Amino acid sequence: MRTQVGIVGAGPAGLMLGQLLHLRGIDSVIVEKRGRDYVIDRVRAGVLEPGTVDLLTASGVGDRLAVEGLRRGGVHFNFAGARHRIDLVALAGSPITIYGQNEVLKDLIDARIATDRPLVFEAEEVRIEDLESSTPKLRFQAQAGEPREIVCDFIAGCDGFHGVCRATIPPGAVTTHERVYPFSWLGILAEATPASEELIYAYHERGFALHNQRSPTLIRAHVQCPPDDDLSAWPDERVWSELRTRTATASGWRPNEGPILKKSLAAMRGFVTEPMRYRRLFLAGDSAHIFPPSGAKGLNMAIADAQVLADAIAEHYASASDGALDLYSDTCLRRVWNVQQFACWMTQMLHRFDPNDEFEHRTRLSELEHLMTCREASTSFARRYLGLSPISHDE
Ligand SMILES: Cc1cc2nc3c(=O)[nH]c(=O)nc-3n(C[C@H](O)[C@H](O)[C@H](O)COP(=O)(O)OP(=O)(O)OC[C@H]3O[C@@H](n4cnc5c(N)ncnc54)[C@H](O)[C@@H]3O)c2cc1C
C-alpha cells in the first residue's frame, strides 16, 4: 500500500494531523496499536485553550464541542485558607474550555471514519523501516495477523512518550532533555456535582491539589503524592480527606464527594526532544515533548504541532518547497520551550518539594500572593494559561 503520510498513533496529535491533511486533500494512513474503546476511555486532559477550540472548529470537528464544552472565565487559587480568582476574560479576553480529551478523540475518530481514509486500530509490532530512503515504510501486523507494509513520503511520529517512533531514530541524531519531579499526581474521576464550576489550583502545606469540573455531574481531581506510591495506598476515603484538607478555605468551601469511577497515578516530568525531526520522520505531541500537567498544556501542544506539520506538508505538495518542513522543528521548539518554562514554573510554585522546608513554604505563599495582587503578574499568567502570545513592549 502507498500513502503520502503514514501517521503512527491515534491520539490527539495523530488524529488532528490526519484531519488537517484530509482537508488539504492529502492522503494518510493512521496506525494505532490500541483498540478504539481503549483510546477513547483513557481519561487525561480536559482544558482547551481558545486556539485549540478555534482549530477544532475550523477543522469541522467542533459541533459537539460548541454545545457541550464548558466555557469558564476564570481559575481559582486556594492557599493559606483563602480563595483567589484570576479573571481570564477580564485580563486576557478569553475563557478556557473544559472538554475532556476523550470527547475530543471521539469527535476526531468520527470525523476520520467519515472521510473513509484508513484508520487501523489494534495494529501489532508497528515499526518504521528505510528511514534513510526517500520512501520510509510502516510495517505492522493487522488484527487478523497479516503483515502489512505502507510505503510513505513522510512518517509522523504521533505515538506518545512510550511510542516506537522516537526510539527508531539512530542514537546521537537527537538530544533529549528531561526533568523528573520528586512527586507524582494521584488522579480521580468521580461522579459528583462540582462544588466549583471553575478550576481550582490549591497549594497547601501537605502539597498540591487540583479540582476540576469535567461535566455537570463529573469531577476530575488530583493530589500530589510520593513518586513511588501505589494505588492501594489511596483508598477512596483518603483521597477525599486529602482533597478536602488541601482545598479548604476559611469560608468553608469543600468539594462535593461521590463514587470514584477511575483512579490513576501519573509521574511528573518535563521532557523535550531536539530536533523534532529525523529525515522524513517528524515527531509531534508527546512523542517529542512532555509538560508537567500543572500547566494543562500537553493536549494543546499536540494539536499545535499537528497544525504546524500539516501546513508544512501541504506546502511541500503545493509548491514543492521544503522550507516549512525544514523549519518545522525550530518553529515548534520555540513554543515548546516557552510552554515548558510556564508548566515548570506552575509546578514549582504549587508543589511541596520538601515537607520540612519552612523557608520554601513561606516563599511559595509569598509568590502566590504576588500572582494574585500584582495585575501585571495575573495578566501574564492569564495570557500564558490561555496560550496567547506575550504582550510586546511596543503594544
Ligand atoms: C493525568 C494527565 C492529565 C493531563 N491533563 C492535561 C490537561 O489538562 N491539558 C492538556 O492540554 N494536557 C493534559 N495532559 C497531557 C495530554 O493528555 C497529552 O499531552 C496528550 O494526550 C498528547 O497527545 P498525543 O497524541 O501526542 O499522545 P497520546 O495521547 O499519548 O497518543 C499517542 C497514541 O499513540 C499510540 N501508540 C503508542 N505506541 C504506539 C505504537 N508503537 N504503534 C502505534 N500506536 C502507538 C497510543 O496508544 C496512543 O493512542 C494530561 C496528561 C495526563 C497523563
Side-chain angles (χ1 to χ4, degrees):
M1 188 177 181
R2 184 85 176 77
T3 191
Q4 289 172 298
V5 185
I7 300 176
V8 186
L15 288 164
M16 187 76 229
L17 178 63
Q19 176 70 0
L20 291 167
L21 293 174
H22 163 72
L23 294 172
R24 291 158 171 81
I26 298 168
D27 276 345
S28 65
V29 174
I30 304 180
V31 177
E32 163 62 49
K33 77 170 181 183
R34 301 286 190 176
R36 176 189 170 140
D37 291 347
Y38 182 96
V39 168
I40 288 177
D41 286 347
R42 221 168 12 196
V43 178
R44 297 176 86 182
V47 178
L48 304 188
E49 296 173 352
T52 303
V53 172
D54 290 348
L55 184 63
L56 290 167
T57 306
S59 309
V61 285
D63 290 355
R64 218 160 53 88
L65 168 62
V67 177
E68 296 176 26
L70 305 170
R71 272 153 285 280
R72 297 292 176 247
V75 290
H76 297 262
F77 286 83
N78 288 10
F79 59 93
R83 187 168 173 185
H84 308 258
R85 180 171 189 265
I86 289 194
D87 190 328
L88 299 171
V89 174
L91 292 169
S94 179
I96 47 159
T97 301
I98 307 295
Y99 191 66
Q101 178 165 330
N102 38 350
E103 305 302 332
V104 173
L105 289 175
K106 262 187 232 164
D107 296 341
L108 284 166
I109 289 171
D110 287 350
R112 178 71 185 187
I113 289 168
T115 67
D116 277 339
R117 295 192 192 271
L119 167 54
V120 182
F121 285 110
E122 296 182 32
E124 288 176 11
E125 295 175 38
V126 180
R127 54 188 203 278
I128 300 168
E129 290 180 1
D130 296 339
L131 253 186
E132 310 297 327
S133 79
S134 59
T135 51
K137 296 173 188 66
L138 268 183
R139 284 188 207 278
F140 58 95
Q141 304 267 345
Q143 240 173 332
E146 331 99 63
R148 295 272 178 83
E149 179 189 273
I150 301 173
V151 181
C152 314
D153 292 342
F154 300 105
I155 293 183
C158 304
D159 50 347
F161 185 65
H162 299 288
V164 72
C165 291
R166 194 179 66 248
T168 304
I169 299 174
V174 293
T175 306
T176 58
H177 307 276
E178 185 170 34
R179 168 162 300 171
V180 179
Y181 286 92
F183 39 77
S184 293
W185 272 14
L186 174 95
I188 59 158
L189 186 73
E191 209 167 39
T193 309
S196 168
E197 287 198 333
E198 295 182 333
L199 199 140
I200 298 173
Y201 287 99
Y203 172 74
H204 186 271
E205 54 194 6
R206 293 184 62 79
F208 168 82
L210 174 61
H211 178 281
N212 192 8
Q213 172 180 32
R214 245 324 139 76
S215 78
T217 54
L218 285 178
I219 295 172
R220 179 85 169 128
H222 299 271
V223 290
Q224 175 186 347
C225 65
D228 45 4
D229 252 11
D230 191 270
L231 278 183
S232 61
W234 286 93
D236 294 3
E237 183 36 45
R238 183 175 175 212
V239 177
W240 289 119
S241 161
E242 284 298 330
L243 257 180
R244 277 194 305 269
T245 305
R246 296 183 194 188
T247 56
T249 62
S251 62
W253 187 88
R254 54 180 286 168
N256 289 331
E257 296 171 25
I260 294 181
L261 308 175
K262 289 196 176 153
K263 220 182 264 180
S264 59
L265 283 165
M268 293 284 285
R269 63 155 59 82
F271 177 87
V272 180
T273 309
E274 281 183 330
M276 289 168 55
R277 170 189 188 172
Y278 178 71
R279 297 187 182 260
R280 290 178 163 255
L281 168 65
F282 293 83
L283 303 179
D286 278 17
S287 74
H289 42 67
I290 296 281
F291 304 92
S294 334
K297 293 295 181 189
L299 166 60
N300 294 293
M301 293 298 283
I303 298 266
D305 288 353
Q307 182 176 24
V308 178
L309 186 52
D311 288 347
I313 292 173
E315 185 180 297
H316 167 88
Y317 287 115
S319 64
S321 157
D322 282 350
L325 280 173
D326 290 342
L327 284 174
Y328 168 73
S329 178
D330 286 350
T331 306
C332 292
L333 283 169
R334 202 169 307 119
R335 177 157 43 184
V336 165
W337 279 115
N338 180 284
V339 165
Q340 195 67 261
Q341 187 275 330
F342 176 74
C344 290
W345 167 73
M346 289 274 285
T347 305
Q348 176 87 16
M349 179 173 62
L350 291 166
H351 291 76
R352 282 247 44 195
F353 284 65
D354 176 353
N356 300 313
D357 188 343
E358 185 63 15
F359 191 91
E360 172 199 277
H361 179 51
R362 301 298 275 266
T363 51
R364 293 278 191 283
L365 291 174
S366 175
E367 187 173 8
L368 281 159
E369 195 71 44
H370 172 75
L371 177 62
M372 300 305 136
T373 53
C374 170
R375 191 176 170 87
E376 285 80 7
S378 305
T379 304
S380 170
F381 166 83
R383 292 190 67 84
R384 299 188 79 186
Y385 195 68
L386 291 165
L388 305 176
S389 55
I391 299 171
S392 86
H393 290 300
D394 304 331
E395 279 180 50

